[in-house]
Amino acid sequence: MAVKANRFSISLLTIVVVVVAACVLTVYSYHRAWLQIRQQQRAEFDDRLFHLVDHLNLVRNSVYALQAQMQSNLQLASQGQLYHPALLRFQNYPTFGAYGLEQDLHPEVFRRQIGTFSGIGSVQSLTEPYKQEIYAVLALDGLMRTIVESAVSGSWVYYISARRFLYLAPGVPLHQFHFDPAFYQQQLWLQAMPENNPGRKLAMTSLYQDAAGSGPMVTLSQPVYLQQSFSGVVAVDMTVADLREHLSSSDGLGEMWLVDEQGLLVADSDSDAVAPGVRAELPSEQLESSGYLQHAEAYWLKRTLMPGQLSLVYRLPQAELRRAAWSASLPHIVATLVMAMLLLVAVKLYRMVRFIGHLAEIDPLTSFLNRRGMEEKAQTWLEYCERHQQPFSVLMVDIDHFKHINDQYGHNNGDKVIVAMTAEIQAMRMAERLRRHMVEMRVTRHRIPFTISLGGAERIGEEPLDQMIKRADQALYEAKEAGRNRAVASYRQSRVESAVEPG
């Protein structure tokens, strides 16, 4: 029972160690995946940030170039050094109360011009200052074509004049879209007014719905001056769809927002269309930091794209991060569990092999070494005694009249005699003490008496093991021939015999 309990304890300890190791490796795999995903998302955020900065720089530079070119054109036109023949094709459109050029009526012009012109009034009412500004904006067409064809703008490039006209690229028929005085109430115009923008800085509108049907967008604009006189506004539109292309991440984990200076949402990576006026739910804490900010069960990042105008915000929900970490670490976890199971199987097989080997060497009835096991172990003991110059002896034991015991009391009781004898042999050191003790023993309820004969041999010189066994076996034979119930030792060619007659 003690051996079985010990084996059970070792097996249980092995299982516990393997399970604990598997749990530790599982937690490590999950935590490592969690950190890697956070770092990857940070790198993805920085990548999106760089793309957006590059795109916005192109748009801003386009606006700066338009403003510089328009102001230069106005200067040249005011000096009578700029002329454009397209003005000769202008005509009135009474239906719209406007004048300008209709693409369908003048295809030869629009093969060279990318933009369309529309204004309030009539061609006949144009004064020389009007004509000079028209020449200036028509000469801006080449730069507008470059901006449109380079895909800097996802929608429109245009100039709105304080003299109530509009030049729009790419051009559209006037019956679809033309100048409207309501433009002067729009945010992009109000932001450019001298009283609102005395520094003549570039400005960005909040999100609005495009009147020409291109969907929600924002506009970058800058005022245009002729010397100190405010003339109009150059502008480049950016649609939400165009901005969203720069927000989309490779794995779709978390969401990125573009937020204006008022905290209003401009674009969302998870939504194709954002309604104007929607406020982004941002943490009250300062987000501009080198790392993540943890707030409301999410991790946050924020970087400025245009100081005081536009920022990029990233929100990574903790639950989403945990799911991604478990998903990423799942192959490692499965591999760990498989390895743990294989290790348990290997340990079990190892113990089974050892147990089978144990059975091959141990007598199942007495748990003593059988002859095979004894010979293997005895060789090791013999070599040990040789190294340490210790005496080495072999003792042969036989139960006297054992067949008679089996015949009279049965094999089960005979086995009990063997077990009792071996138990006593374990406790006895000297053969004679063992023999005397056996004489006095009684086994089972039948109180079976028995005696034993013993044969022993002490090693002589470098005598081999098999020779010692032969001498011990011969001594046992001599003990039985001498009447049994005695021990005979073979020692240096002489024999020592002892016996006590049963009483």
Side-chain angles (χ1 to χ4, degrees):
M1 290 297 292
V3 173
K4 291 183 178 180
N6 186 46
R7 288 176 182 170
F8 175 77
S9 299
I10 294 175
S11 299
L12 180 61
L13 179 61
T14 302
I15 293 173
V16 169
V17 170
V18 171
V19 170
V20 170
C23 292
V24 170
L25 289 174
T26 297
V27 172
Y28 171 76
S29 298
Y30 166 78
H31 185 64
R32 182 182 179 187
W34 186 86
L35 290 175
Q36 287 180 340
I37 291 173
R38 281 210 346 157
Q39 293 171 353
Q40 290 169 358
Q41 294 308 118
R42 172 65 183 275
E44 182 78 20
F45 175 80
D46 291 338
D47 184 62
R48 297 298 95 196
L49 177 67
F50 295 150
H51 278 286
L52 279 166
V53 167
D54 289 342
H55 180 70
L56 290 173
N57 284 338
L58 286 174
V59 176
R60 280 190 293 190
N61 291 337
S62 298
V63 175
Y64 293 147
L66 286 170
Q67 181 207 37
Q69 185 65 53
M70 187 61 187
Q71 290 184 159
S72 176
N73 289 352
L74 286 173
Q75 187 68 29
L76 292 172
S78 67
Q79 296 170 359
Q81 299 178 20
L82 191 61
Y83 170 79
H84 202 287
L87 181 57
L88 300 176
R89 304 294 181 94
F90 277 30
Q91 63 184 46
N92 297 321
Y93 298 93
T95 305
F96 315 127
Y99 69 97
L101 283 176
E102 180 68 51
Q103 282 186 321
D104 294 339
L105 297 178
H106 300 282
E108 74 284 357
V109 175
F110 287 99
R111 280 196 292 269
R112 294 184 297 271
Q113 297 286 128
I114 193 173
T116 56
F117 184 98
S118 62
I120 299 298
S122 64
V123 177
Q124 292 76 17
S125 63
L126 296 178
T127 63
E128 191 60 29
Y130 270 76
K131 292 179 180 180
Q132 291 173 355
E133 189 171 353
I134 292 172
Y135 293 150
V137 75
L138 291 174
L140 200 61
D141 185 82
L143 179 56
M144 287 187 171
R145 179 186 295 275
T146 300
I147 295 172
V148 170
E149 292 179 352
S150 65
V152 171
S153 169
S155 184
W156 313 109
V157 181
Y158 49 95
Y159 172 74
I160 301 177
S161 172
R163 290 189 168 96
R164 301 197 302 173
F165 68 76
L166 165 72
Y167 191 71
L168 177 69
V172 295
L174 266 63
H175 69 274
Q176 293 183 9
F177 189 77
H178 54 82
F179 180 83
D180 187 334
F183 291 165
Y184 294 145
Q185 303 304 316
Q186 292 181 352
Q187 187 181 9
L188 73 93
W189 182 266
L190 297 176
Q191 288 175 334
M193 295 293 291
E195 59 270 24
N196 298 328
N197 191 358
R200 305 179 186 182
K201 296 180 180 179
L202 182 141
M204 188 189 80
T205 67
S206 299
L207 189 67
Y208 67 94
Q209 197 70 28
D210 180 39
S214 293
M217 62 177 55
V218 293
T219 300
L220 291 182
S221 63
Q222 197 160 20
V224 174
Y225 283 77
L226 176 58
Q227 297 176 354
Q228 299 302 317
S229 175
F230 175 69
S231 298
V233 178
V234 289
V236 176
D237 290 340
M238 295 183 293
T239 63
V240 169
D242 180 50
L243 291 171
R244 190 171 180 272
E245 289 183 5
H246 297 279
L247 294 179
S248 301
S249 62
S250 57
D251 54 18
L253 194 61
E255 54 185 340
M256 290 191 191
W257 303 336
L258 284 176
V259 180
D260 67 15
E261 59 180 337
Q262 300 174 8
L264 300 179
L265 202 59
V266 173
D268 183 350
S269 61
D270 287 348
S271 177
D272 291 329
V274 177
V278 175
R279 185 167 296 278
E281 297 181 2
L282 300 177
S284 57
E285 294 90 339
Q286 181 66 28
L287 279 178
E288 292 283 354
S289 62
S290 58
Y292 283 100
L293 172 67
Q294 186 174 349
H295 175 80
E297 297 185 354
Y299 296 101
W300 298 79
L301 292 170
K302 181 183 178 184
R303 295 293 181 272
T304 298
L305 292 170
M306 297 173 59
Q309 294 181 331
L310 190 65
S311 297
L312 177 64
V313 177
Y314 176 59
R315 177 180 176 271
L316 177 58
Q318 294 180 16
E320 198 170 334
L321 175 59
R322 287 193 292 268
R323 285 194 298 269
W326 278 119
S327 178
S329 61
L330 185 60
H332 300 284
I333 294 173
V334 171
T336 299
L337 294 178
V338 170
M339 289 178 63
M341 292 176 63
L342 291 176
L343 182 59
L344 287 174
V345 170
V347 170
K348 186 67 175 178
L349 289 175
Y350 173 74
R351 293 185 59 79
M352 288 180 63
V353 169
R354 287 197 61 187
F355 181 68
I356 292 172
H358 178 75
L359 291 179
E361 296 178 348
I362 299 298
D363 176 66
L365 180 63
T366 63
S367 297
F368 271 32
L369 289 171
N370 58 22
R371 189 176 188 91
R372 174 187 173 186
M374 184 273 295
E375 290 178 350
E376 290 182 0
K377 301 295 183 184
Q379 186 62 44
T380 302
W381 298 333
L382 176 61
E383 293 172 357
Y384 175 85
C385 290
E386 285 181 343
R387 287 195 304 271
H388 297 277
Q389 298 180 351
Q390 296 292 324
F392 183 81
S393 301
V394 174
L395 178 67
M396 303 295 289
V397 180
D398 185 64
I399 298 177
D400 298 332
H401 304 292
F402 185 67
K403 183 177 182 303
H404 174 71
I405 293 174
N406 279 335
D407 293 341
Q408 183 175 353
Y409 299 103
H411 288 279
N412 287 339
N413 288 317
D415 289 345
K416 292 179 180 179
V417 170
I418 294 174
V419 172
M421 179 201 70
T422 56
E424 290 300 324
I425 288 176
Q426 287 179 321
M428 298 299 178
R429 293 186 177 182
M430 301 298 295
E432 181 57 22
R433 181 181 175 188
L434 176 62
R435 186 191 67 77
R436 291 177 179 275
H437 191 77
M438 296 301 171
V439 171
E440 299 172 358
M441 282 190 64
R442 298 294 182 269
V443 181
T444 76
R445 63 184 178 82
H446 302 289
R447 297 190 59 75
I448 303 171
F450 67 94
T451 61
I452 63 172
S453 299
L454 301 94
E458 184 176 350
R459 190 183 188 197
I460 301 173
E462 297 181 356
E463 181 183 17
L465 178 63
D466 57 348
Q467 185 63 34
M468 290 183 63
I469 293 174
K470 286 182 181 180
R471 289 198 297 110
D473 193 42
Q474 180 63 32
L476 173 63
Y477 175 76
E478 292 177 3
K480 296 170 74 67
E481 285 293 313
R484 293 185 171 85
N485 188 23
R486 67 195 62 224
V488 175
S490 176
Y491 179 73
R492 297 186 182 277
Q493 304 300 328
S494 65
R495 289 184 291 278
V496 178
E497 178 179 325
S498 64
V500 175
E501 297 299 330

